Amino acid sequence: MTGERHRHTRPHPKEAEIRALLREGYRDAEIRRRTGADVRTIARRRAEGGFGPATIRRRAPRKHPKDAEIRARLAAMSSEAIARELGVDRAAVRRIRRESGIRFVPPTYATAEEKWADRVRPAGEGHLEWTGERSTRSGSPVMRFREKSVSPAAVSFRKRTGRDPVGQVKAECGYPHCIAPAHVEDEPGRRRLREQFRFLTGGASPAPVCRHGHDQVVHGRFQPDGAPYCAECKREQRPVASPWSMTGSQGGVA
């Protein structure tokens, strides 16, 4: 028993610093952080010295510059969506959500089109911008509906045409990742528009086959400026034939 009492009353290596911090009114946790002393040791010194409760409280966190905008969106948007829309750190949004106690309850959508409509906003000049999730690699709009991946651009295409797209759907308006229904095309539509642009700017018809023998009726594609290329060569990662290196009876132009 004597040994136990002696162990408890033995001065701490930072005894003087602990008592000085107690006199100044610091909390036990802060004294522990500064001295490394056990909280029980600090509490014992507080009681033995009659220092009373701490008077220095933890400083309140600095208010976020966009605190009001974040709080206004907490009930209607997820923390990730708020961070993306306002350009703020997700951790800051989550902290403000915890402080406010406001939960986000994801809405239930009957159709993919309903969810699509809730994730778009006008971007001027007829463009539509996606406010939902995006691919981490390309930044392309992505959407989950009933545990399945749905392309927002494909939804846009169906809204305009009433049919499912063929191949990948992309915007032809030049606005990055625009998903306005009037601005997106599937692969056949994209080829048709770009081929028309080629002819309007004086380009000749492509050759029937590329230099690797691929049928250009099937594999022929056009760049936005009308320059042709072979999609099969690109898929196989072969050197893609230039417009003037393709063979055929129509002027040698691909």
Side-chain angles (χ1 to χ4, degrees), residues 133-159:
E133 296 179 61
R134 291 178 179 269
S135 167
T136 53
R137 292 187 62 185
S138 64
S140 299
V142 295
M143 183 174 74
R144 297 286 297 178
F145 180 71
R146 295 180 180 174
E147 304 307 316
K148 293 183 179 181
S149 179
V150 179
S151 166
V155 174
S156 301
F157 183 84
R158 281 194 297 270
K159 286 175 71 68

Side-chain angles (χ1 to χ4, degrees), residues 96-160:
I96 294 172
R97 186 182 293 282
R98 286 195 301 271
E99 292 173 358
S100 67
I102 299 175
R103 293 178 61 247
F104 168 64
V105 179
T108 301
Y109 301 101
T111 65
E113 286 72 18
E114 283 187 13
K115 186 171 184 179
W116 177 94
D118 201 31
R119 297 288 193 280
V120 299
R121 65 183 175 192
E125 298 182 356
H127 305 298
L128 277 186
E129 188 174 58
W130 182 248
T131 64
E133 296 179 61
R134 291 178 179 269
S135 167
T136 53
R137 292 187 62 185
S138 64
S140 299
V142 295
M143 183 174 74
R144 297 286 297 178
F145 180 71
R146 295 180 180 174
E147 304 307 316
K148 293 183 179 181
S149 179
V150 179
S151 166
V155 174
S156 301
F157 183 84
R158 281 194 297 270
K159 286 175 71 68
R160 190 187 87 238

Side-chain angles (χ1 to χ4, degrees), residues 187 191 210 214-216 218-223 228-238 240-241 246:
E187 287 187 3
R191 171 171 177 157
C210 75
H214 299 133
D215 184 351
Q216 293 306 285
V218 178
H219 303 294
R221 301 290 187 274
F222 295 90
Q223 301 285 2
Y229 69 94
C230 177
E232 185 64 11
C233 286
K234 187 173 183 180
R235 187 186 68 80
E236 294 176 356
Q237 297 184 336
R238 289 184 176 185
V240 179
M246 300 178 74

Side-chain angles (χ1 to χ4, degrees), residues 4 13 21 37 47 65 68 72 93 96 119 135 145 155 195 217 248 250:
E4 181 72 13
L21 292 170
V93 180
I96 294 172
R119 297 288 193 280
S135 167
F145 180 71
V155 174
E195 187 174 21
V217 173
Q250 300 182 10

